Amino acid sequence: MMESSLEGPLAKLESQHSAPVSYWLRLGEHRLALNPLIGRRIHLHYRQQVVCQGCGRISKKSFGQGYCYPCFRSLPQCDSCMMKPETCHFDAGTCRDESWAQQVCMHDHIVYLANSSSLKVGITRISQVPVRWIDQGASQALPIYRVANRRLSGLVEVIFKQHVSDRTSWQAMLKGDPAPLDLQAEARRLIALCAEPLAELEREQGIQRLVRLDDAESFGFEYPVSHHPSKVKAFNLDKEAQVSGILEGVKGQYLLFDNGVLNVRKFSGYQVGLSVE
């Protein structure tokens, strides 16, 4: 029996750290709990409209995960330094919006290790712990440094990237949980490998702006998945306006159906109709 349908622009999945993680799908003003829908058939229909997350303009194409082209070119959250924080140009006076940067970038950040598809290093605002790790589908995470701002977190991450990846293999992550790691041991190993450049950065920035978190506790995550796919087929709403399948789980920002997966965050702003059987 088909339930009444909902419609609105997709937004990134909302989550809460629980066992398993609790998820909600947001369609405009609608908020739909996903965990109770596992095992149900869900129908999604893309309406061929994208609602810009910046200005609300209607367009046919999405830039930077849900923005119109003018917003993509002008908003600070779409600047290239958001992907490469070590290239922050705030001090050069060329920031797209200094007040936004003061609210978002000029606060404490965490440098962390995570185990999603394998060991990786990453950064996040302290206010995004543990949401950032859930969004990545991590099974484990460990904060290793607390630093004074986003640019500094990027500089620390660059040092660690000489020895460990900063990327997640999303296909491997969706196929199942990785083998557990001793993240504390991995942190000690990597910090020893990076001792010289980290010490130099501390001398440049000041030791109080770069704090090693030796006593931090690791986080563990369990996801609401009844079945992991053996092969991963990704739905693309630009090519397949209608997606229908039995929901078998939610992990990271992905809906796992019996016939494919959908990266919800990738299609932020897409006007979608949804119904559940």
Side-chain angles (χ1 to χ4, degrees):
M1 182 177 182
M2 192 79 70
E3 295 184 352
S4 58
S5 61
L6 304 175
E7 184 161 334
L10 279 172
K12 72 181 287 281
L13 296 176
E14 182 181 336
S15 63
Q16 179 179 314
H17 188 198
S18 54
V21 171
S22 298
Y23 279 103
W24 291 266
L25 180 69
R26 294 181 296 156
L27 288 166
E29 297 179 353
H30 303 292
R31 184 174 181 265
L32 181 66
L34 288 172
N35 293 45
L37 299 183
I38 293 175
R40 308 276 297 274
R41 182 170 293 276
I42 294 179
H43 303 272
L44 297 169
H45 186 190
Y46 172 42
R47 306 302 192 193
Q48 305 299 321
Q49 289 186 337
V50 179
V51 181
C52 175
Q53 296 184 89
C55 67
R57 179 188 322 223
I58 304 296
S59 64
K60 290 288 187 182
K61 189 173 181 180
S62 169
F63 297 86
Q65 296 184 342
Y67 295 92
C68 66
Y69 188 68
C71 284
F72 176 69
R73 293 285 295 170
S74 63
L75 291 179
Q77 56 265 48
C78 298
D79 204 344
S80 60
C81 57
M82 294 307 294
M83 293 299 294
K84 294 184 176 181
E86 69 275 11
T87 65
C88 171
H89 45 97
F90 182 89
D91 290 342
T94 55
C95 182
R96 289 182 176 183
D97 186 337
E98 291 190 1
S99 62
W100 185 90
Q102 289 287 359
Q103 295 175 12
V104 176
C105 302
M106 303 304 167
H107 291 278
D108 283 3
H109 278 59
I110 293 293
V111 182
Y112 63 85
L113 295 179
N115 183 16
S116 46
S117 56
S118 59
L119 184 67
K120 64 157 288 185
V121 65
I123 67 169
T124 188
R125 278 177 288 158
I126 196 166
S127 62
Q128 292 301 297
V129 172
V131 173
R132 175 63 172 163
W133 303 324
I134 294 172
D135 286 348
Q136 294 180 338
S139 295
Q140 300 169 270
L142 175 70
I144 56 174
Y145 274 92
R146 180 170 179 161
V147 301
N149 56 52
R150 183 173 178 83
R151 177 177 178 271
L152 184 51
S153 71
L155 293 174
V156 176
E157 183 184 39
V158 166
I159 291 172
F160 280 103
K161 280 165 57 176
Q162 303 302 311
H163 303 281
V164 63
S165 176
D166 65 334
R167 297 183 181 277
T168 295
S169 169
W170 61 272
Q171 298 97 330
M173 180 270 291
L174 293 176
K175 288 181 179 180
D177 294 331
L181 296 173
D182 185 338
L183 293 185
Q184 281 87 356
E186 293 291 349
R188 291 192 295 270
R189 177 181 66 85
L190 289 166
I191 289 170
L193 287 171
C194 300
E196 186 174 337
L198 287 171
E200 182 178 350
L201 190 62
E202 286 179 348
R203 288 192 293 270
E204 291 175 356
Q205 298 290 329
I207 193 168
Q208 292 184 340
R209 291 167 58 83
L210 181 65
V211 179
R212 180 171 159 180
L213 302 176
D214 292 324
D215 298 325
E217 294 186 4
S218 60
F219 289 71
F221 304 97
E222 175 190 346
Y223 295 91
V225 178
S226 64
H227 181 263
H228 290 94
S230 56
K231 294 183 179 180
V232 178
K233 173 198 170 185
F235 291 118
N236 184 343
L237 293 181
D238 292 317
K239 297 179 180 180
E240 305 170 83
Q242 297 189 56
V243 170
S244 179
I246 295 173
L247 183 66
E248 295 189 327
V250 190
K251 190 174 185 182
Q253 282 291 309
Y254 286 85
L255 302 181
L256 282 63
F257 296 99
D258 61 333
N259 55 351
V261 304
L262 180 70
N263 182 344
V264 174
R265 188 170 194 169
K266 178 178 179 180
F267 298 104
S268 294
Y270 281 51
Q271 186 77 11
V272 168
L274 177 146
S275 57
V276 181
E277 286 186 26

